[in-house]
Every structure is written in C-alpha cells, then in structure tokens.
Amino acid sequence: TAVDLPASKFGVRSHYLKVRDRASYAFALVSVAAALELDSGGLIHDARIALGGVALKPWRATEAEKQLVGKKADPELFQSAARTALTGAKGYKYNSFKIELAQRSITRALNTVASMTEAD
C-alpha cells in the first residue's frame, strides 16, 4: 500500500525551529514552523507560519501570513509579521517572556527560510 502526495510548493523553503530551555528537555518553550514560496526576485507568493509551545494548542498565524504575501522578503517585514502573529497575546505570571521569544523565533525562522536556495 502506498500514498502518493502531490509535490508541495513549500518543499524547497521550509524550516522548523524548536527553542528549548535545555537540550535535554524534549518540549519546546516556543516552536515555529515556517515556509515561504518565493520567486527568483524574492517576492513572496505564499507563506505559512505555525506556532507551538506558546498556548494551549498549536496555531497558524494566518494574519501574519497574509501580511507577507505580495511583498519582498525582508528582515523588517518578518519582524512586523512576527508582531502581527502575537497581537492580542496575553502573558501570565510566569510565561510572559514567551511573547517576545515567539516574535524573535518567528523572525529567525522566516529569515532562515528566505535565505534557503533550491540547492539547500
């Protein structure tokens, strides 16, 4: 038995970032799965961003994804999208640090993905 999956447009440029307190910990404080579909000039045609470890369940940052589409890949754009992804996030007594950590992680993951080439 086999399952054939169609080729993903995100197969070339995708990245999973797992931020942990210690390497020995299996769970992430924050995790980010990011993927971009870019043309040869760096224009973003489609984007996916998913977050884990920062809420009760993982979620997609669809508003941040929309913010990226149609624009040229750029670190400042990625920082803005990261802020958008965490708009309305509410920290509690011991986890407020995760908001900024998640923003920095999103930015880092998107920068990593944007720098990938088809040869990577």
Side-chain angles (χ1 to χ4, degrees):
T1 306
V3 176
D4 291 324
L5 299 174
S8 170
K9 59 187 174 184
F10 297 113
V12 174
R13 291 184 180 88
S14 61
H15 180 65
Y16 176 73
L17 175 63
K18 182 177 184 178
V19 180
R20 302 182 283 188
D21 191 25
R22 296 186 178 117
S24 62
Y25 289 175
F27 63 91
L29 290 172
V30 171
S31 63
V32 178
L36 295 173
E37 181 187 1
L38 298 170
D39 68 14
S40 59
L43 187 69
I44 301 169
H45 290 281
D46 207 354
R48 295 289 186 274
I49 303 168
L51 295 165
V54 292
L56 297 174
K57 62 182 183 175
W59 87 86
R60 278 207 24 219
T62 54
E63 290 304 312
E65 294 171 356
K66 290 175 191 173
Q67 184 179 345
L68 296 172
V69 174
K71 298 185 178 115
K72 189 165 174 73
D74 175 83
E76 288 181 19
L77 173 64
F78 298 154
Q79 288 176 348
S80 177
R83 285 190 298 273
T84 296
L86 277 293
T87 297
K90 180 181 176 187
Y92 294 96
K93 187 174 181 180
Y94 298 109
N95 72 352
S96 292
F97 72 95
K98 286 189 175 190
I99 296 170
E100 184 174 344
L101 182 60
Q103 289 174 346
R104 289 175 184 238
S105 298
I106 291 168
T107 302
R108 179 176 163 190
L110 288 170
N111 279 314
T112 298
V113 172
S115 68
M116 293 178 170
T117 64
E118 293 191 30
D120 290 340

mmCIF file of all heavy atoms in Angstrom, residues 74-105:
data_model
loop_
_atom_site.group_PDB
_atom_site.id
_atom_site.type_symbol
_atom_site.label_atom_id
_atom_site.label_comp_id
_atom_site.label_asym_id
_atom_site.label_seq_id
_atom_site.Cartn_x
_atom_site.Cartn_y
_atom_site.Cartn_z
ATOM 1 N N ASP A 74 12.123 40.338 3.478
ATOM 2 C CA ASP A 74 12.978 41.335 4.108
ATOM 3 C C ASP A 74 12.905 41.149 5.626
ATOM 4 O O ASP A 74 11.822 40.915 6.165
ATOM 5 C CB ASP A 74 12.447 42.722 3.713
ATOM 6 C CG ASP A 74 13.176 43.843 4.394
ATOM 7 O OD1 ASP A 74 14.246 44.234 3.901
ATOM 8 O OD2 ASP A 74 12.665 44.330 5.418
ATOM 9 N N PRO A 75 14.037 41.256 6.328
ATOM 10 C CA PRO A 75 14.029 41.076 7.785
ATOM 11 C C PRO A 75 13.053 42.001 8.517
ATOM 12 O O PRO A 75 12.421 41.587 9.484
ATOM 13 C CB PRO A 75 15.483 41.367 8.187
ATOM 14 C CG PRO A 75 16.281 41.017 6.978
ATOM 15 C CD PRO A 75 15.410 41.418 5.816
ATOM 16 N N GLU A 76 12.910 43.244 8.076
ATOM 17 C CA GLU A 76 11.966 44.166 8.728
ATOM 18 C C GLU A 76 10.527 43.714 8.530
ATOM 19 O O GLU A 76 9.697 43.829 9.439
ATOM 20 C CB GLU A 76 12.167 45.587 8.224
ATOM 21 C CG GLU A 76 13.450 46.220 8.733
ATOM 22 C CD GLU A 76 13.639 47.647 8.239
ATOM 23 O OE1 GLU A 76 12.651 48.283 7.815
ATOM 24 O OE2 GLU A 76 14.784 48.121 8.291
ATOM 25 N N LEU A 77 10.213 43.204 7.335
ATOM 26 C CA LEU A 77 8.883 42.658 7.070
ATOM 27 C C LEU A 77 8.622 41.470 7.987
ATOM 28 O O LEU A 77 7.531 41.323 8.543
ATOM 29 C CB LEU A 77 8.761 42.238 5.601
ATOM 30 C CG LEU A 77 7.480 41.502 5.215
ATOM 31 C CD1 LEU A 77 6.261 42.406 5.388
ATOM 32 C CD2 LEU A 77 7.584 40.979 3.794
ATOM 33 N N PHE A 78 9.623 40.631 8.177
ATOM 34 C CA PHE A 78 9.471 39.451 9.032
ATOM 35 C C PHE A 78 9.232 39.856 10.487
ATOM 36 O O PHE A 78 8.421 39.241 11.186
ATOM 37 C CB PHE A 78 10.684 38.534 8.921
ATOM 38 C CG PHE A 78 10.901 37.979 7.537
ATOM 39 C CD1 PHE A 78 12.165 37.603 7.125
ATOM 40 C CD2 PHE A 78 9.859 37.840 6.635
ATOM 41 C CE1 PHE A 78 12.378 37.085 5.856
ATOM 42 C CE2 PHE A 78 10.050 37.332 5.357
ATOM 43 C CZ PHE A 78 11.323 36.953 4.968
ATOM 44 N N GLN A 79 9.916 40.898 10.955
ATOM 45 C CA GLN A 79 9.689 41.387 12.320
ATOM 46 C C GLN A 79 8.265 41.923 12.479
ATOM 47 O O GLN A 79 7.608 41.674 13.487
ATOM 48 C CB GLN A 79 10.698 42.486 12.667
ATOM 49 C CG GLN A 79 12.097 41.972 12.889
ATOM 50 C CD GLN A 79 13.092 43.100 13.131
ATOM 51 O OE1 GLN A 79 12.795 44.269 12.927
ATOM 52 N NE2 GLN A 79 14.290 42.735 13.552
ATOM 53 N N SER A 80 7.800 42.624 11.480
ATOM 54 C CA SER A 80 6.443 43.155 11.515
ATOM 55 C C SER A 80 5.413 42.016 11.531
ATOM 56 O O SER A 80 4.437 42.055 12.279
ATOM 57 C CB SER A 80 6.212 44.069 10.315
ATOM 58 O OG SER A 80 4.888 44.541 10.295
ATOM 59 N N ALA A 81 5.639 41.012 10.706
ATOM 60 C CA ALA A 81 4.738 39.856 10.673
ATOM 61 C C ALA A 81 4.748 39.120 12.013
ATOM 62 O O ALA A 81 3.703 38.654 12.482
ATOM 63 C CB ALA A 81 5.129 38.909 9.541
ATOM 64 N N ALA A 82 5.903 39.048 12.641
ATOM 65 C CA ALA A 82 6.009 38.394 13.951
ATOM 66 C C ALA A 82 5.201 39.153 14.999
ATOM 67 O O ALA A 82 4.517 38.546 15.828
ATOM 68 C CB ALA A 82 7.470 38.283 14.367
ATOM 69 N N ARG A 83 5.256 40.461 14.952
ATOM 70 C CA ARG A 83 4.439 41.261 15.886
ATOM 71 C C ARG A 83 2.955 41.026 15.625
ATOM 72 O O ARG A 83 2.149 40.885 16.554
ATOM 73 C CB ARG A 83 4.787 42.744 15.768
ATOM 74 C CG ARG A 83 6.116 43.106 16.414
ATOM 75 C CD ARG A 83 6.329 44.620 16.496
ATOM 76 N NE ARG A 83 6.363 45.262 15.184
ATOM 77 C CZ ARG A 83 7.471 45.382 14.436
ATOM 78 N NH1 ARG A 83 8.623 44.927 14.873
ATOM 79 N NH2 ARG A 83 7.419 45.983 13.268
ATOM 80 N N THR A 84 2.590 40.965 14.346
ATOM 81 C CA THR A 84 1.200 40.704 13.978
ATOM 82 C C THR A 84 0.748 39.343 14.509
ATOM 83 O O THR A 84 -0.363 39.206 15.015
ATOM 84 C CB THR A 84 1.027 40.758 12.447
ATOM 85 O OG1 THR A 84 1.321 42.084 11.995
ATOM 86 C CG2 THR A 84 -0.371 40.377 12.019
ATOM 87 N N ALA A 85 1.617 38.357 14.398
ATOM 88 C CA ALA A 85 1.266 37.000 14.846
ATOM 89 C C ALA A 85 0.930 36.948 16.324
ATOM 90 O O ALA A 85 0.115 36.135 16.751
ATOM 91 C CB ALA A 85 2.414 36.037 14.536
ATOM 92 N N LEU A 86 1.538 37.826 17.112
ATOM 93 C CA LEU A 86 1.330 37.805 18.565
ATOM 94 C C LEU A 86 0.431 38.940 19.053
ATOM 95 O O LEU A 86 0.296 39.148 20.267
ATOM 96 C CB LEU A 86 2.680 37.857 19.291
ATOM 97 C CG LEU A 86 3.418 36.523 19.461
ATOM 98 C CD1 LEU A 86 2.690 35.596 20.395
ATOM 99 C CD2 LEU A 86 3.799 35.848 18.204
ATOM 100 N N THR A 87 -0.214 39.639 18.122
ATOM 101 C CA THR A 87 -1.143 40.696 18.510
ATOM 102 C C THR A 87 -2.245 40.092 19.379
ATOM 103 O O THR A 87 -2.834 39.079 19.044
ATOM 104 C CB THR A 87 -1.771 41.355 17.262
ATOM 105 O OG1 THR A 87 -0.735 41.971 16.514
ATOM 106 C CG2 THR A 87 -2.810 42.396 17.647
ATOM 107 N N GLY A 88 -2.465 40.716 20.503
ATOM 108 C CA GLY A 88 -3.515 40.239 21.402
ATOM 109 C C GLY A 88 -3.071 39.131 22.344
ATOM 110 O O GLY A 88 -3.845 38.696 23.185
ATOM 111 N N ALA A 89 -1.826 38.668 22.204
ATOM 112 C CA ALA A 89 -1.332 37.617 23.103
ATOM 113 C C ALA A 89 -1.279 38.155 24.525
ATOM 114 O O ALA A 89 -0.889 39.304 24.757
ATOM 115 C CB ALA A 89 0.047 37.146 22.659
ATOM 116 N N LYS A 90 -1.671 37.328 25.452
ATOM 117 C CA LYS A 90 -1.687 37.734 26.854
ATOM 118 C C LYS A 90 -0.793 36.789 27.645
ATOM 119 O O LYS A 90 -1.027 35.583 27.685
ATOM 120 C CB LYS A 90 -3.114 37.676 27.395
ATOM 121 C CG LYS A 90 -3.228 38.091 28.839
ATOM 122 C CD LYS A 90 -4.652 38.000 29.329
ATOM 123 C CE LYS A 90 -4.697 38.330 30.812
ATOM 124 N NZ LYS A 90 -6.034 38.104 31.371
ATOM 125 N N GLY A 91 0.221 37.350 28.261
ATOM 126 C CA GLY A 91 1.088 36.552 29.110
ATOM 127 C C GLY A 91 0.535 36.471 30.520
ATOM 128 O O GLY A 91 -0.271 37.304 30.933
ATOM 129 N N TYR A 92 0.948 35.463 31.220
ATOM 130 C CA TYR A 92 0.579 35.297 32.617
ATOM 131 C C TYR A 92 1.831 35.398 33.478
ATOM 132 O O TYR A 92 2.921 35.649 32.973
ATOM 133 C CB TYR A 92 -0.155 33.966 32.817
ATOM 134 C CG TYR A 92 -1.488 33.958 32.104
ATOM 135 C CD1 TYR A 92 -1.608 33.408 30.828
ATOM 136 C CD2 TYR A 92 -2.608 34.535 32.684
ATOM 137 C CE1 TYR A 92 -2.830 33.425 30.161
ATOM 138 C CE2 TYR A 92 -3.830 34.557 32.019
ATOM 139 C CZ TYR A 92 -3.932 33.996 30.768
ATOM 140 O OH TYR A 92 -5.127 34.033 30.105
ATOM 141 N N LYS A 93 1.692 35.193 34.752
ATOM 142 C CA LYS A 93 2.759 35.459 35.708
ATOM 143 C C LYS A 93 4.117 34.894 35.296
ATOM 144 O O LYS A 93 5.122 35.593 35.349
ATOM 145 C CB LYS A 93 2.358 34.912 37.075
ATOM 146 C CG LYS A 93 3.309 35.286 38.182
ATOM 147 C CD LYS A 93 2.773 34.846 39.529
ATOM 148 C CE LYS A 93 3.724 35.260 40.632
ATOM 149 N NZ LYS A 93 3.241 34.864 41.939
ATOM 150 N N TYR A 94 4.163 33.648 34.876
ATOM 151 C CA TYR A 94 5.455 33.006 34.607
ATOM 152 C C TYR A 94 5.729 32.736 33.129
ATOM 153 O O TYR A 94 6.722 32.099 32.803
ATOM 154 C CB TYR A 94 5.570 31.695 35.395
ATOM 155 C CG TYR A 94 5.529 31.914 36.883
ATOM 156 C CD1 TYR A 94 4.430 31.540 37.634
ATOM 157 C CD2 TYR A 94 6.599 32.544 37.533
ATOM 158 C CE1 TYR A 94 4.397 31.754 39.004
ATOM 159 C CE2 TYR A 94 6.569 32.767 38.897
ATOM 160 C CZ TYR A 94 5.468 32.368 39.635
ATOM 161 O OH TYR A 94 5.440 32.592 40.980
ATOM 162 N N ASN A 95 4.861 33.164 32.238
ATOM 163 C CA ASN A 95 5.118 32.866 30.824
ATOM 164 C C ASN A 95 5.086 34.089 29.912
ATOM 165 O O ASN A 95 5.111 33.951 28.699
ATOM 166 C CB ASN A 95 4.146 31.800 30.309
ATOM 167 C CG ASN A 95 2.734 32.318 30.137
ATOM 168 O OD1 ASN A 95 2.403 33.428 30.528
ATOM 169 N ND2 ASN A 95 1.887 31.499 29.556
ATOM 170 N N SER A 96 5.055 35.269 30.461
ATOM 171 C CA SER A 96 5.017 36.477 29.628
ATOM 172 C C SER A 96 6.219 36.592 28.699
ATOM 173 O O SER A 96 6.122 37.169 27.626
ATOM 174 C CB SER A 96 4.933 37.724 30.511
ATOM 175 O OG SER A 96 3.691 37.767 31.173
ATOM 176 N N PHE A 97 7.339 36.032 29.110
ATOM 177 C CA PHE A 97 8.548 36.074 28.283
ATOM 178 C C PHE A 97 8.350 35.389 26.943
ATOM 179 O O PHE A 97 9.064 35.667 25.979
ATOM 180 C CB PHE A 97 9.728 35.415 29.027
ATOM 181 C CG PHE A 97 9.636 33.928 29.123
ATOM 182 C CD1 PHE A 97 10.279 33.122 28.187
ATOM 183 C CD2 PHE A 97 8.904 33.313 30.133
ATOM 184 C CE1 PHE A 97 10.198 31.742 28.262
ATOM 185 C CE2 PHE A 97 8.825 31.930 30.216
ATOM 186 C CZ PHE A 97 9.472 31.136 29.272
ATOM 187 N N LYS A 98 7.382 34.471 26.860
ATOM 188 C CA LYS A 98 7.179 33.717 25.625
ATOM 189 C C LYS A 98 6.687 34.583 24.469
ATOM 190 O O LYS A 98 6.899 34.238 23.305
ATOM 191 C CB LYS A 98 6.207 32.558 25.851
ATOM 192 C CG LYS A 98 6.807 31.418 26.628
ATOM 193 C CD LYS A 98 5.873 30.238 26.612
ATOM 194 C CE LYS A 98 6.494 29.031 27.278
ATOM 195 N NZ LYS A 98 5.687 27.833 27.043
ATOM 196 N N ILE A 99 6.063 35.698 24.762
ATOM 197 C CA ILE A 99 5.569 36.565 23.686
ATOM 198 C C ILE A 99 6.733 37.111 22.872
ATOM 199 O O ILE A 99 6.764 36.972 21.645
ATOM 200 C CB ILE A 99 4.676 37.689 24.257
ATOM 201 C CG1 ILE A 99 3.426 37.078 24.897
ATOM 202 C CG2 ILE A 99 4.323 38.695 23.169
ATOM 203 C CD1 ILE A 99 2.586 38.058 25.694
ATOM 204 N N GLU A 100 7.696 37.706 23.535
ATOM 205 C CA GLU A 100 8.863 38.215 22.809
ATOM 206 C C GLU A 100 9.685 37.075 22.223
ATOM 207 O O GLU A 100 10.193 37.173 21.098
ATOM 208 C CB GLU A 100 9.748 39.081 23.701
ATOM 209 C CG GLU A 100 10.903 39.675 22.916
ATOM 210 C CD GLU A 100 11.744 40.658 23.696
ATOM 211 O OE1 GLU A 100 11.300 41.129 24.759
ATOM 212 O OE2 GLU A 100 12.853 40.955 23.216
ATOM 213 N N LEU A 101 9.820 35.974 22.960
ATOM 214 C CA LEU A 101 10.570 34.816 22.453
ATOM 215 C C LEU A 101 9.932 34.285 21.172
ATOM 216 O O LEU A 101 10.628 33.967 20.208
ATOM 217 C CB LEU A 101 10.644 33.723 23.513
ATOM 218 C CG LEU A 101 11.433 32.472 23.152
ATOM 219 C CD1 LEU A 101 12.893 32.799 22.847
ATOM 220 C CD2 LEU A 101 11.345 31.450 24.293
ATOM 221 N N ALA A 102 8.608 34.233 21.138
ATOM 222 C CA ALA A 102 7.906 33.773 19.935
ATOM 223 C C ALA A 102 8.127 34.730 18.771
ATOM 224 O O ALA A 102 8.365 34.303 17.634
ATOM 225 C CB ALA A 102 6.421 33.611 20.225
ATOM 226 N N GLN A 103 8.075 36.032 19.033
ATOM 227 C CA GLN A 103 8.307 37.011 17.967
ATOM 228 C C GLN A 103 9.709 36.863 17.387
ATOM 229 O O GLN A 103 9.884 36.850 16.166
ATOM 230 C CB GLN A 103 8.101 38.427 18.496
ATOM 231 C CG GLN A 103 6.660 38.758 18.780
ATOM 232 C CD GLN A 103 6.472 40.111 19.428
ATOM 233 O OE1 GLN A 103 7.420 40.729 19.909
ATOM 234 N NE2 GLN A 103 5.242 40.588 19.445
ATOM 235 N N ARG A 104 10.687 36.742 18.261
ATOM 236 C CA ARG A 104 12.071 36.581 17.787
ATOM 237 C C ARG A 104 12.249 35.256 17.032
ATOM 238 O O ARG A 104 12.988 35.188 16.053
ATOM 239 C CB ARG A 104 13.042 36.646 18.963
ATOM 240 C CG ARG A 104 13.159 38.026 19.554
ATOM 241 C CD ARG A 104 14.029 38.014 20.796
ATOM 242 N NE ARG A 104 14.075 39.309 21.416
ATOM 243 C CZ ARG A 104 15.193 39.980 21.633
ATOM 244 N NH1 ARG A 104 16.350 39.469 21.288
ATOM 245 N NH2 ARG A 104 15.150 41.158 22.199
ATOM 246 N N SER A 105 11.563 34.221 17.487
ATOM 247 C CA SER A 105 11.667 32.913 16.839
ATOM 248 C C SER A 105 11.034 32.920 15.451
ATOM 249 O O SER A 105 11.571 32.335 14.512
ATOM 250 C CB SER A 105 11.025 31.836 17.722
ATOM 251 O OG SER A 105 11.702 31.748 18.957
#
